[in-house]
Amino acid sequence: MTWCSRRALVRGAALAPLAAMAADGLPKPAPRYFAGHGSHDHRTLAYDLHLAYDPAAGRLEGRARIRAVAERTLRQVNLDLAKLSVHEAMVDGAAVRPGRKGHKLLLPAPRPIPAGTPFTLEIGYGGRPGPVRTPFGQIGWDRTGDAHDGTLVAAQPLGAPSWFPCNDRPDDKAEFTFRVTVPRGHQALANGALLEWRTSDTAECWTYHHRGPMAPYLAALYTGRFTQETWQATDSATGRPVTGRNAYPVHLSGRARHDLGRQPEMFETFTRWFGPYPFETYGAVVVDADLDQPVENQTASVFGRNHIDGARTWETLVAHELVHQWYGNSVSLRDWRDIWLNEGFATYGEWLWSEHIGEDSADTIARAAWRTLARQGTGLRIADPGPDRIFDDRVYNRGACTLHALRLTMGDDRFFPMLRGWHHAHRGESADTAAFVAHAGRTMPRVVEPLLRAWLYDTCLPPLPPPPPEPGNAQS
């Protein structure tokens, strides 16, 4: 059964363009999804965020120090910031008068900043943060718990400006430091490693550093009252010990401890499949709120209380979020049109984990997913789904089927080294679909590129290759 004629498959493979062509024959950049967010005028080196949160008032006071480099001569620096008010701004130490235009923060440069020149911004801001309106609903900073005295950040794709000024592009990655003050008895959790914890009679200050680099939408902050526990694992690729930290509300501790209990095994298994773990730590945060889906925040994935039942019902999602640390966080999107590189990879990681623990094989799951995709019909190119469909289930499942088709075509002895090589080649960087097609195609040039063009660029659904004679567990 196929949803493409053979003629359509061949025609699509031959003609599906990786980019529109300009008159001079060179690739023409496609318009960015959500082009109103972020700026290409500068690239960010580091964010240093000093934050104080008062849960009783729901008020956040912040000071952001941002180091960046001009990509062209700048007379104004544009950042994204929603809802919160700016009361002070400096560019290279000189006070400036900030302007606002919608969610844009406009900082005039006291003198032109030439291309290639580093510069520093300091911004004092505050107010009552909350989620921002996006095409996908309200996203970003939100409150948790029956008393609403906790907070979470789930910012994918456009919610980062809900709590700090940033260059809100998925490919503008930077180092982050968070220094967060909360009332005594509360905790603050953020990306990266805990550097310092200080307490006084009335407050606690938590400092985290993450060398990243990290896209703004992956930055996270959780505040509230948590039980924190650590776990140990070994990076199978390097032999390096890694300490993980989980946090959850006290009333969910028993169930969360069980549901997250196989993270060390996942970690050791995934480092065999995907290569060295790219960051200094990892952990999961369970918040006292229901979430539609867990969120992949870098080094600190977040799960809702509805994903914790003490029976590991949602364990594949635990695997999904851990896989994102390689594919989506370390190797990031160049643009949101490439989201299958995040979600297809993480979904295939779920299928591999199921296979690894002796449940359904990846082949069984892929064929069931293919049948569902066939019933859903055509009309979606997962390499360019459109900005309103980046979270379409077909992007996830057809993306994972694409990888399974690659695995069946290459065999495990080529497929897993190819995955490791993809991460190794782009670790800490951003990449796009064309780069992946080129990377995978180097393994079997005459076979892989037509296969990927059909799966990624055709709207019709290609057939999966025949199953292996004796499906087994994933091999490294």
Side-chain angles (χ1 to χ4, degrees), residues 318-339:
V318 179
H320 183 109
E321 303 311 326
L322 180 52
V323 174
H324 270 314
Q325 304 307 307
W326 285 265
Y327 306 114
N329 297 180
S330 178
V331 182
S332 299
L333 303 172
R334 195 172 300 282
D335 185 70
W336 287 107
R337 67 171 23 86
D338 302 304
I339 194 171

Side-chain angles (χ1 to χ4, degrees), residues 402-422:
T402 301
L403 294 175
H404 191 62
L406 266 183
R407 181 184 176 193
L408 292 174
T409 301
M410 290 180 166
D412 284 6
D413 59 338
R414 290 189 179 102
F415 176 74
F416 285 98
M418 182 276 296
L419 286 187
R420 289 192 291 273
W422 173 244

Side-chain angles (χ1 to χ4, degrees), residues 14-36:
L15 299 180
L18 297 182
M21 304 303 287
D24 59 6
L26 296 175
K28 182 180 179 181
R32 278 199 301 132
Y33 287 6
F34 315 119

Side-chain angles (χ1 to χ4, degrees), residues 150-358:
T151 63
L152 71 95
V153 171
Q156 186 185 23
L158 304 173
S162 67
W163 65 289
F164 71 102
C166 60
N167 191 22
D168 191 22
R169 280 174 28 215
D171 61 334
D172 189 38
K173 303 169 66 170
E175 178 180 0
F176 276 76
T177 302
F178 308 85
R179 185 170 288 107
V180 186
T181 301
V182 290
R184 185 175 174 85
H186 288 240
Q187 297 164 22
L189 313 170
N191 312 82
L194 178 65
L195 293 187
E196 184 182 53
W197 170 57
R198 292 186 290 110
T199 184
S200 69
D201 291 342
T202 59
E204 302 189 13
C205 184
W206 301 74
T207 302
Y208 295 84
H209 177 252
H210 182 39
R211 61 181 179 270
M214 180 168 67
Y217 84 93
L218 294 168
L221 176 63
Y222 316 103
T223 69
R225 306 170 196 271
F226 298 96
T227 294
Q228 293 194 57
E229 296 179 342
T230 60
W231 48 269
Q232 304 292 324
T234 299
D235 186 323
S236 299
T238 64
R240 174 175 69 104
V242 174
T243 299
R245 176 179 283 108
N246 294 335
Y248 19 79
V250 174
H251 68 93
L252 293 175
S253 295
R255 283 179 281 171
R257 190 175 299 117
H258 176 76
D259 288 359
L260 301 172
R262 288 201 280 207
Q263 281 177 310
E265 182 184 349
M266 285 183 187
F267 191 93
E268 293 172 5
T269 301
F270 292 172
T271 51
R272 286 198 301 272
W273 291 340
F274 308 139
Y277 181 67
F279 305 124
E280 65 272 37
T281 188
Y282 179 69
V285 179
V286 179
V287 294
D288 200 6
D290 291 342
L291 302 180
D292 290 339
Q293 296 291 337
V295 181
E296 64 176 88
N297 297 332
Q298 192 161 312
T299 75
S301 301
V302 60
F303 297 81
R305 62 193 174 198
N306 52 311
H307 301 123
I308 300 297
D309 63 3
R312 292 182 176 156
T313 300
W314 306 100
E315 188 179 60
T316 55
L317 299 182
V318 179
H320 183 109
E321 303 311 326
L322 180 52
V323 174
H324 270 314
Q325 304 307 307
W326 285 265
Y327 306 114
N329 297 180
S330 178
V331 182
S332 299
L333 303 172
R334 195 172 300 282
D335 185 70
W336 287 107
R337 67 171 23 86
D338 302 304
I339 194 171
W340 86 273
L341 289 169
N342 285 24
E343 302 303 348
F345 277 60
T347 301
Y348 197 58
E350 297 180 37
W351 301 358
L352 291 173
W353 178 250
S354 173
E355 184 173 289
H356 173 76
I357 61 176

Side-chain angles (χ1 to χ4, degrees), residues 97-112:
R97 184 173 181 177
R100 299 297 291 263
K101 186 176 182 180
H103 65 82
K104 287 293 186 183
L105 173 62
L106 313 176
L107 303 179
R111 61 189 63 83

Side-chain angles (χ1 to χ4, degrees), residues 33 160 283 378 386 433:
Y33 287 6
T378 61
T433 299

